[in-house]
Amino acid sequence: MDMSGEERIAAPRDAVWAALNDPEILKACIPGCQSLTMKSPTELEATVKIKIGPVSATFSGEVTLSNLNPPMGYTISGEGKGGIAGFAKGGADVRLIEDGDGTILAYDVKAQIGGKLAQLGSRLIDSTSKKLATQFFADLGEKLNGAAA
């Protein structure tokens, strides 16, 4: 699965960068995130519960940040195992572009899934992925706007 897009966040680029590197903000913004622990400045451990169609699964995995270029962007990659539901692994290149008093967050995602999840069909997985991404950016924007107020 490949997905790319842009979201405008009404906050300065430095604030968006800080939020994308804050485990508490990320935990609050990632749909279904049950835990997110910073193991090092570039390694995180996460547990996320998601439902895609009839399959509900809790994924445990590790996330790595690389190609760090503060405050312009980074590459985030990870792999999670969801038991009988299967696995998910992938990464995203994230770029932050100043846009007046806001920031354009551009992303390119590549992901692979296996197990029961892979049997659901690409349309269901793509639509759910887009919905989860939309929810993440809405929550991130809300957190940043709340912090600015």
Side-chain angles (χ1 to χ4, degrees):
M1 177 195 74
D2 293 349
M3 183 171 70
S4 59
E6 289 184 350
E7 296 291 331
R8 187 176 193 285
I9 299 173
R13 182 167 63 178
D14 287 340
V16 177
W17 174 260
L20 289 175
N21 287 279
D22 183 326
E24 289 305 311
I25 290 178
L26 289 174
K27 180 182 175 195
C29 296
I30 297 170
C33 188
Q34 297 178 325
S35 71
L36 186 66
T37 309
M38 201 98 172
K39 291 171 46 178
S40 79
T42 59
E43 296 174 309
L44 300 103
E45 217 169 54
T47 303
V48 178
K49 185 172 185 171
I50 61 167
K51 184 169 173 33
I52 300 178
V55 178
S56 183
T58 301
F59 287 86
S60 298
E62 298 194 356
V63 177
T64 305
L65 306 178
S66 59
N67 302 326
L68 278 84
N69 185 9
M72 306 197 29
Y74 60 38
T75 299
I76 184 168
S77 53
E79 186 169 345
K81 293 181 178 28
I84 195 165
F87 71 89
K89 65 181 177 180
D93 289 318
V94 178
R95 296 173 312 285
L96 302 177
I97 304 144
E98 288 181 329
D99 183 41
D101 60 353
T103 303
I104 302 287
L105 189 156
Y107 58 91
D108 294 301
V109 177
K110 290 190 184 320
Q112 293 177 292
I113 57 168
K116 277 190 175 182
L117 286 175
Q119 298 169 2
L120 293 175
S122 62
R123 282 205 333 228
L124 178 60
I125 295 204
D126 288 349
S127 68
T128 302
S129 299
K130 286 182 174 87
K131 187 176 107 182
L132 293 172
T134 300
Q135 183 66 52
F136 171 81
F137 290 116
D139 291 349
L140 182 64
E142 198 174 285
K143 283 270 180 218
L144 283 163
N145 291 335

